[in-house]
Amino acid sequence: MVENFSNDYDVKCQLDTCKTYPAITDSERGEIVCGGCGLILLQNMADASYENNGYSQEDFMKLSRTGPASSLTMYDKGLSTVIGTNKDSSGNALSNKTKYEFNRLRTWDQRSKSRKTAALSKAFTLLHGMKTKLGVPDNVVESAAYIYRKVVSAKLTRGRTMTSLISASLYAACRENNIPRTLDDIANAGNVERRILSRDLRTIIKKLGLNLNQYDTSSFISKISNNMDLKEKTKRDAFEILKRCEKEQITAGKHPVAQAAASLYISCIMNGEKISQKKFSAESGVSDVTIRNRVDLIKKTLKLIE
């Protein structure tokens, strides 16, 4: 009788005559066999041997047992058809007739790809380029690819450019994962007008029913201060100012980037760092008038500096 075990590999034959015989493991078949009577004690074992993937793409495809992980950022989710070189499994060259047949197969495999597949390939190539420019993590790119696939399925691409839609999907993914990237950052990375990006973003949110959380203002404090090489104490004081502003409930409805820039500006004054509002405006992408208004409100409410 064959018994299936999932985790417990410490099995022994129950016959009295086989107690002195060891169990034999057959890793190729995934079985453990009694050394006395030959009874299969365990089958369908997981292969625990070393995974040798090689160092090149060709070696990986030859040696890997599982293949690369599937990903939404690939147009075919990583499940593509690969027609190899003109050699058989032994490394011998194929005949001319077989070569011709395989070349025809490659041609028809390429032709069989739909226009939707080609469009996804271009869109995700652009997405990877924006990922490099903005420095966003892989999970955000996966979320952006998922949102863009939903956009394509909902047929929202008519009358809209692929660049603006993939940029809007990336911004929505950044909002979902609380990665501080503004509309201006996304627009510059994707070479899209901010007006068009905002319009397509509103369409995606409305049609797909996305519920995007507001950005955490503290994340913009870290981003701006790191880009401007401010002191650590200045950053900590800015966090404290923001915390007091939230306690006084003067951050509701305010632009998070402007609030972060204003908190940092006041913190710079308190710590003796002379940086103009113009520089904060250029770094944050918010007008100096907006920053000045936020600064005046914070000074009046918290009575920090004269």
Side-chain angles (χ1 to χ4, degrees):
M1 180 179 179
V2 178
E3 293 182 301
N4 291 311
F5 293 86
S6 57
N7 295 321
D8 187 10
Y9 291 167
D10 187 15
V11 292
K12 296 180 180 179
C13 186
Q14 301 299 321
L15 297 177
D16 294 335
T17 57
C18 298
K19 289 184 177 180
T20 57
Y21 292 94
I24 301 173
T25 302
D26 188 348
S27 57
E28 292 185 1
R29 295 177 177 270
E31 298 173 347
I32 295 180
V33 184
C34 175
C37 62
L39 177 68
I40 298 177
L41 303 176
L42 189 147
Q43 67 177 3
N44 298 330
M45 290 192 310
D47 189 356
S49 61
Y50 177 69
E51 178 79 12
N52 185 8
N53 292 336
Y55 297 98
S56 65
Q57 179 70 15
E58 183 178 356
D59 291 339
F60 179 83
M61 298 304 294
K62 287 181 179 179
L63 301 175
S64 177
R65 297 175 301 196
T66 58
S70 60
S71 174
L72 292 174
T73 59
M74 301 180 186
Y75 69 93
D76 54 3
K77 299 182 182 179
L79 304 175
S80 58
T81 301
V82 179
I83 301 177
T85 57
N86 295 324
K87 292 183 180 180
D88 59 13
S89 59
S90 302
N92 300 322
L94 301 176
S95 63
N96 292 332
K97 181 180 179 181
T98 310
K99 285 182 182 179
Y100 175 77
E101 292 177 354
F102 273 91
N103 288 333
R104 292 293 296 169
L105 284 174
R106 292 190 191 95
T107 302
W108 281 108
D109 178 63
Q110 189 66 28
R111 290 176 180 175
S112 64
K113 293 181 173 63
S114 62
R115 295 179 61 184
K116 178 181 176 181
T117 301
L120 285 176
S121 178
K122 293 179 181 178
F124 293 151
T125 301
L126 176 62
L127 179 61
H128 282 290
M130 296 177 66
K131 170 196 171 184
T132 304
K133 293 179 182 178
L134 296 169
V136 294
D138 292 336
N139 64 312
V140 176
V141 180
E142 287 282 338
S143 299
Y146 175 70
I147 294 173
Y148 184 75
R149 287 179 182 273
K150 291 176 67 176
V151 168
V152 174
S153 299
K155 298 181 180 180
L156 300 179
T157 56
R158 183 182 294 273
R160 300 177 180 88
T161 63
M162 177 191 67
T163 306
S164 63
L165 288 176
I166 199 70
S167 300
S169 301
L170 181 58
Y171 178 78
C174 289
R175 285 275 295 272
E176 285 183 344
N177 293 274
N178 196 29
I179 301 298
R181 299 295 183 273
T182 63
L183 276 174
D184 292 327
D185 294 336
I186 302 292
N188 293 333
N191 196 20
V192 186
E193 291 186 26
R194 190 182 189 279
R195 173 181 57 85
I196 298 176
L197 176 59
S198 300
R199 182 198 64 190
D200 291 345
L201 177 64
R202 289 193 297 269
T203 302
I204 291 175
I205 293 174
K206 180 180 179 181
K207 296 295 183 181
L208 300 184
L210 300 180
N211 185 16
L212 303 181
N213 298 323
Q214 185 63 268
Y215 271 130
D216 185 8
T217 308
S218 59
S219 59
F220 284 104
I221 290 180
S222 300
K223 178 186 175 185
I224 296 173
S225 60
N226 291 337
N227 292 340
M228 299 183 69
D229 294 329
L230 300 180
K231 297 178 182 178
E232 187 65 28
K233 188 175 186 306
T234 302
K235 187 193 300 185
R236 290 199 303 269
D237 290 344
F239 281 126
E240 185 64 28
I241 292 171
L242 177 62
K243 187 176 180 180
R244 293 178 61 184
C245 290
E246 292 175 347
K247 188 175 181 180
E248 295 291 337
Q249 298 182 354
I250 61 174
T251 60
K254 300 298 188 294
H255 198 296
V257 183
Q259 189 71 29
S263 301
L264 278 171
Y265 176 74
I266 295 176
S267 180
C268 286
I269 296 177
M270 295 172 60
N271 289 277
E273 292 192 68
K274 297 182 179 180
I275 301 178
S276 65
Q277 293 180 359
K278 281 284 186 182
K279 291 184 179 180
F280 277 102
S281 174
E283 186 61 41
S284 62
V286 181
S287 67
D288 52 343
V289 177
T290 304
I291 295 176
R292 191 177 305 118
N293 292 335
R294 296 286 82 75
V295 169
D296 292 340
L297 179 62
I298 294 173
K299 289 165 60 178
K300 181 179 179 181
T301 305
L302 304 183
K303 300 178 181 179
L304 292 175
I305 54 178
E306 296 297 332

